[in-house]
Amino acid sequence: MAISNDELSEILSWLPSKAIHKLKCCSKIFSELSDNSYFVAKQVENSLKKDCPSCFFVQRRLISFNNYAEFHPLPGEELSSGIPKDVIRFLSGSTIKILSSSNGLILCRNNQTELFIINPTINSFLHVPLPDHLQTLKQQWRIVPDFNMTMVCDSDDCKVFLFDNEFWGLKLDCHVYSQKEGSWSKKEKKCFSAGSRNLKFENAVICNGAIHFISDCSPYIAKHITYFRPYIMSYDMANGDENRLIRIPKEARMGSHDDSCDMNIFKWSQSQSMCLVRLRKRVFTVWILTNYESCWWRRILKVRVRGMGLMEQNPVIIGFTVLDDDIDFATETKVYSYGLIPTSEKYMVLSEICEHRCDSRFVSNVRVRCR
């Protein structure tokens, strides 16, 4: 019985990425899968139904001239994490910077001026044009300054949010690119109130229909200023003028200006909420936001790195993240995972994931679904 190309695409969209790449070497029909819009859409939609990522990238942070990303499959997922070598080479280029990731797709910036949305599983690249005001800057100065950007993707659309302003100030304009519409739009009269601190736009968390960003905690704000302590700011994706400041726990604010202190927020899938992780003096503390309206947090972990069972001598933690409700953190040479869910067999168990070569003070982890 003959089947249509759409039916074939539907079937193939469920395959692991390694199987897809093997099939693409067999015939012209399979080799053109990445150009089939129906297949691309179905593959992304089906990937959202696969809860666990199978691989991740480790990338230098705060080094604009050489970002260098490393690819690593997760233990036990080597057979399904089949990213094409040319995609890995592209993402590992010194001029490529991974800006954001969402549901298996990656937003990258190349040569300071070009943007791409990449589906590494099927080797699909979508060029994202710069918004008009940045295009003008590029034409005048042949370079585009750093900008604050994040990406949100679901089965319906993939949207890129860019926050900036022409003049220095506390309010940022929001520009949104829709992959479905293929164009940018500006949220008129819906500025984002960012507060006096710098926000970590690379660590965006979607919760309650809003994008959330945590501020830094460096001691450059005077004590009498409202924004002296670090905070979380939300941006409502539907009604951008409805911004909200979310206070972090009092315990997290204490000692937050210490040079060794670093805080970030992450998605907490157990309750469709967010968690806050603080690292200070080699102590990890984790809180879960249990009541969004009242900003009520519950502490679920406080542990010294040495108490996790880490055997490295005098380890220096250079980056951390939370994915699949586990803490993943990197020392100067290795990446580890530590379980946070009491019902999991990995709870409070330290596992070594891999070695890395990102010789930087800070690294970031980006996990993707490549099954």
Side-chain angles (χ1 to χ4, degrees), residues 196-198 200 215-222 227-230 256-259 261-263 361:
S196 301
R197 288 189 165 276
N198 296 320
K200 298 182 178 182
S215 72
D216 63 7
C217 49
S218 300
Y220 57 83
I221 302 292
Y227 301 100
F228 171 66
R229 297 294 182 184
S256 60
H257 294 143
D258 188 278
D259 289 339
C261 185
D262 188 17
M263 284 189 283
R361 184 183 173 191

Side-chain angles (χ1 to χ4, degrees), residues 180-222:
K180 179 183 292 185
E181 298 176 2
S183 61
W184 286 92
S185 61
K186 182 180 178 181
K187 296 288 187 180
E188 298 293 343
K189 299 181 180 179
K190 293 183 179 179
C191 293
F192 178 40
S193 300
S196 301
R197 288 189 165 276
N198 296 320
L199 299 184
K200 298 182 178 182
F201 285 92
E202 72 276 10
N203 275 48
V205 175
I206 310 300
C207 180
N208 244 37
I211 309 178
H212 298 77
F213 308 97
I214 191 170
S215 72
D216 63 7
C217 49
S218 300
Y220 57 83
I221 302 292

